Every structure is written in structure tokens, then in C-alpha cells.
């Protein structure tokens, strides 16, 4: 068994290979004069594991090329972060279902696919091979446990993400709630925990994705105004688009952590153990 990787998933690939106790193959990436990419796997095996977060068009193309390079092997594709997964339906006439298009393209050459906390598990139906979604909610819970906070309050940004938050709190049996929006006027909205109070509590907002950070930053500011001792954030996929990380810092968050599904300076949580366990099974 060998592990290969796209250029922007090198850290997670190395950690996964270490967990599996197998070798990490070198992949040579070059570019032709016309800008087209060329790859070469220097050391392959009968069983290949591809770690490929499709965070941009270049990474997506590299994943497709790796799949083709592994032709004839038993190939597992791991998509720690799957780009275009958030458009899982037609919003307007003439639009593609981007998640479906990506799933079909990334199925060719794969014997099985694993995703990590994908936007909607219904997307898995579009893959043309067996596909399974994995969660690292317990790993986020384990990270929160290292903070040694006396009585933290774990919050999801909305009711839809509450189930994810419950998976996080199962590790430490902490209090859990979701944020609830109340519209005060046409332009003024307040956010507060639905059932519990933030006053005097260390609050941690958890979510599967931190996209622009705008809503999370606003929620953090309001929680601090309501008397929270501190506010932190922990998410699976740290996208941080449009200056999202800076927004969160400026909102007064005491800590911002994400996982290595997208490799950032804030990637203090790893998905490698969950991936290794799934591959072994």
C-alpha cells in the first residue's frame, strides 16, 4: 500500500501514511511550457491511497491525473475537502449541479471514495463507486479537551449544525446548544444561545466549515456583549475566504482552530486517524 497526494494535501497525506504504517510515494509535479500540468508517481503499489483536497481547479486536475496514473491498481480516493460540494442543486435554470459534476469526474478510476464532513451526504449518491462520508467531530472534541476549560459551552451556529455539535460534545459531555437569530427590526438581528445563557461561560462555536467567517464573527461579538468569558471557534474545513480569519480575530476570538483537510496555519486538528481507520476497514 502506498499513499500519494496533491500538492496542497501533502501534510495530511504524510500523517495518514504514518498512521497506516505505509510508505508515502514521491509525486513529481511539473508544468509544460503551455501551462499544462504533468505528474509522475515515482513509486507505486498494487494498492494506492490518493489524498486530495480539491480546494482549487489546480488541485482538482491533479486528483484526476493521479486517478488516471493509478489505472490498474486498487485505488482509494480520499477527498478531505471536496470543492464545489456546496452547489448540490439547481438554483437557477441553466446551472449545473456542480457537486454532481465533480463526483462523476472524480469517480473515474476510483474503487472507493471517502469524504470528510461533506456539505450534504446526498452528494455521495452521485459517485459511480462506493462512497462514504467520515466525520472528525470527535477529533474536534478531543482538541477542545486539551484547552482545560472548566465548564465550556459548545455552540453550533444554527440548528442545522446542532447534530455536528452533539458529536463534538460527546467526547467531554459538555453543555451544548445552538445559536438562534431574533430579528429586532428590518436591519437589526441579535444572536444568542437558544436554551442556555452565555454569561460567565467560555463559549466555543463549532461548525463543519468556516467559509467567510462573517456570521461567526458577528455571533462572537454578540456572545461577548452578552457576558461570555471568552469565545473560540473550531471547524473542520478552514476556508477563510474574503479575509475570514482576520474577521474572526478582529471580533475578539480567543482561539481559531481548523483541521488539515485544508492545510492552514490554524490546522491543529488532524483527520489522518479517521482516514487511516476507514482505509483499514
Amino acid at each position: 500500500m502506498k499513499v500519494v497526494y496533491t500538492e496542497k494535501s501533502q501534510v495530511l497525506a504524510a500523517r495518514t501514511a504514518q498512521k497506516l504504517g505505509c510508505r508515502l510515494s514521491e509525486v513529481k509535479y511539473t508544468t509544460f511550457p503551455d501551462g499544462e500540468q504533468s505528474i509522475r508517481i515515482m513509486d507505486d503499489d498494487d494498492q494506492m491511497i490518493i489524498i486530495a483536497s480539491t480546494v482549487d481547479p489546480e488541485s482538482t486536475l491533479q486528483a484526476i491525473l493521479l486517478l488516471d496514473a493509478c489505472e490498474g491498481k486498487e485505488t482509494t480516493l480520499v477527498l478531505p475537502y471536496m470543492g464545489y460540494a456546496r452547489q448540490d442543486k439547481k438554483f437557477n435554470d441553466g446551472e449545473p449541479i456542480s457537486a454532481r459534476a465533480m463526483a462523476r469526474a472524480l469517480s473515474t478510476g476510483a474503487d472507493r471514495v471517502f469524504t470528510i464532513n461533506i456539505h450534504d451526504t446526498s452528494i455521495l449518491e452521485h459517485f459511480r463507486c462506493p462512497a462514504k462520508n467520515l466525520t472528525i467531530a470527535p477529533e474536534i472534541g478531543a482538541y477542545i479537551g486539551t484547552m482545560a476549560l472548566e465548564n465550556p459551552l459548545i455552540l453550533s451556529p444554527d440548528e442545522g449544525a446542532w447534530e455536528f455539535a452533539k458529536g463534538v460534545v460527546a467526547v467531554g459531555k459538555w453543555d451544548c446548544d445552538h445559536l438562534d437569530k431574533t430579528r429586532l427590526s428590518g436591519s437589526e438581528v441579535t444572536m444568542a444561545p437558544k436554551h442556555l445563557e452565555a454569561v460567565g461561560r467560555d463559549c466555543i462555536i463549532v461548525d463543519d466549515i468556516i467559509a467567510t467567517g462573517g456570521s461567526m464573527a458577528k455571533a462572537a461579538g454578540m456572545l461577548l456583549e452578552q457576558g461570555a468569558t471568552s469565545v473560540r471557534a473550531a471547524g473542520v474545513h478552514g476556508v477563510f475566504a474574503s479575509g475570514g480569519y482576520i474577521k474572526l480575530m478582529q471580533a475578539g476570538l480567543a482561539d481559531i482552530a481548523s483541521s488539515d483537510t485544508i492545510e492552514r496555519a490554524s490546522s491543529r486538528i488532524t483527520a489522518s486517524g479517521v482516514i487511516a481507520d476507514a482505509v483499514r476497514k
Side-chain angles (χ1 to χ4, degrees):
M1 182 185 294
K2 299 282 174 55
V3 175
V4 291
Y5 48 86
T6 53
E7 289 186 288
K8 293 186 178 176
S9 294
Q10 297 177 54
V11 173
L12 180 53
R15 290 171 175 169
T16 302
Q18 187 176 37
K19 295 279 188 183
L20 285 169
C22 68
R23 289 181 59 186
L24 187 69
S25 295
E26 180 186 0
V27 183
K28 286 193 174 181
Y29 289 94
T30 56
T31 305
F32 291 112
D34 61 1
E36 292 183 357
Q37 292 192 63
S38 172
I39 70 164
R40 183 183 176 191
I41 298 171
M42 303 306 293
D43 185 21
D44 61 13
D45 194 84
D46 290 340
Q47 291 181 293
M48 300 297 292
I49 313 297
I50 300 172
I51 309 294
S53 281
T54 53
V55 294
D56 53 29
E58 185 177 66
S59 299
T60 303
L61 178 57
Q62 288 178 358
I64 291 170
L65 294 177
L66 284 171
L67 283 164
D68 196 74
C70 291
E71 184 181 20
K73 316 294 184 183
E74 182 183 324
T75 304
T76 298
L77 174 64
V78 182
L79 297 169
Y81 175 78
M82 180 180 169
Y84 291 93
R86 301 179 80 184
Q87 182 157 6
D88 55 358
K89 58 178 68 71
K90 285 181 181 284
F91 298 100
N92 299 289
D93 290 341
E95 289 183 346
I97 301 176
S98 303
R100 179 179 64 188
M102 294 304 300
R104 288 174 175 175
L106 292 167
S107 296
T108 304
D111 292 291
R112 59 177 175 169
V113 172
F114 292 116
T115 59
I116 306 285
N117 291 103
I118 198 167
H119 174 63
D120 189 326
T121 54
S122 66
I123 294 167
L124 301 178
E125 298 170 7
H126 298 307
F127 285 95
R128 292 168 172 168
C129 61
K132 183 178 181 180
N133 186 56
L134 310 173
T135 181
I136 62 166
E139 280 63 33
I140 291 180
Y143 174 76
I144 291 171
T146 67
M147 297 179 185
L149 300 173
E150 186 174 341
N151 187 26
L153 173 59
I154 312 302
L155 297 166
S156 66
D158 51 47
E159 190 171 5
W162 202 6
E163 284 303 313
F164 174 76
K166 290 176 183 176
V168 173
V169 303
V171 174
K173 309 299 182 186
W174 302 296
D175 287 343
C176 181
D177 201 354
H178 68 84
L179 291 168
D180 187 53
K181 292 182 182 180
T182 301
R183 182 163 293 280
L184 303 178
S185 67
S187 59
E188 190 177 1
V189 174
T190 185
M191 284 184 279
K194 176 71 174 178
H195 305 288
L196 303 172
E197 289 190 355
V199 61
R201 305 289 296 271
D202 292 300
C203 298
I204 304 169
I205 305 173
V206 298
D207 204 357
D208 61 342
I209 185 169
I210 305 175
T212 65
S215 296
M216 190 175 282
K218 184 176 291 186
M222 290 182 177
L223 288 168
L224 290 169
E225 288 177 5
Q226 291 161 22
T229 302
S230 67
V231 181
R232 294 167 169 80
V236 177
H237 311 300
V239 176
F240 302 125
S242 303
Y245 189 87
I246 299 302
K247 288 177 192 172
L248 293 172
M249 291 296 294
Q250 290 176 333
L253 273 81
D255 183 60
I256 304 166
S258 60
S259 81
D260 51 9
T261 58
I262 302 177
E263 294 172 3
R264 306 288 194 198
S266 59
S267 299
R268 296 193 290 279
I269 302 156
T270 183
S272 58
V274 170
I275 294 170
D277 287 344
V279 169
R280 288 192 195 98
K281 292 175 183 177

